[in-house]
Amino acid sequence: MPTTRGPSEGDRDSASRGPEAIDVVTIEQTIEMALGVSRGQLQVSTLVDLEAQLRGHIALLREPARKATDRMWQGGTKWYRHITRLDGIERQTEQELNPLPFGALIEVQLMARDCQWLLDGYKENWR
């Protein structure tokens, strides 16, 4: 069973062909791991790995989010909320991971929440 889903459920084949195919299941698993990483012993190497995975997922999800935002009425409240959130996500992903373990944990978890927001919008075809 394919795990790659595009914005519309009925077009799975075309979504899984291109280099921009989005593997929703893998992204969800990464988010779940990132949000649950504080439940065990804190490993900085795990945080670094999760951060790299989340950056990759965000890079894939950012383009469809930008395109959807560009189609919104620019000046509306919905557009403003989306564009502001996207700009914040982009700024955050440009930053290096905090060298302190607790700071890195917080940043990874915030990045996971941003990734979840992008994924939710993608799955709902940006409402």
Side-chain angles (χ1 to χ4, degrees):
M1 182 169 153
T3 58
T4 303
R5 291 180 273 187
S8 64
E9 291 290 326
D11 196 16
R12 288 185 184 194
D13 292 334
S14 65
S16 63
R17 277 187 244 138
E20 303 207 12
I22 295 176
D23 185 348
V24 172
V25 173
T26 299
I27 295 172
E28 288 172 340
Q29 290 171 345
T30 304
I31 291 168
E32 187 177 321
M33 286 189 315
L35 293 175
V37 76
S38 64
R39 294 187 186 113
Q41 186 174 357
L42 192 59
Q43 298 288 330
V44 176
S45 61
T46 302
L47 294 173
V48 170
D49 183 48
L50 286 169
E51 183 225 11
Q53 290 177 49
L54 289 166
R55 281 181 196 268
H57 298 325
I58 288 170
L60 283 175
L61 293 166
R62 190 174 51 215
E63 184 179 343
R66 278 280 175 196
K67 286 180 181 178
T69 302
D70 289 345
R71 289 189 304 269
M72 293 176 184
W73 178 64
Q74 296 184 5
T77 307
K78 184 176 181 180
W79 171 81
Y80 183 76
R81 280 194 319 262
H82 278 77
I83 201 73
T84 303
R85 182 85 186 254
L86 286 171
D87 288 346
I89 290 170
E90 288 175 1
R91 276 192 305 277
Q92 183 60 37
T93 56
E94 292 170 359
Q95 302 296 316
E96 289 187 28
L97 189 63
N98 192 316
L100 301 173
F102 187 69
L105 171 66
I106 298 302
E107 288 177 6
V108 165
Q109 289 181 338
L110 289 173
M111 194 177 289
R113 293 184 195 286
D114 288 339
C115 192
Q116 184 68 62
W117 181 80
L118 289 168
L119 183 61
D120 289 345
Y122 176 79
K123 290 192 303 187
E124 296 173 15
N125 202 15
W126 291 100
R127 303 159 194 64

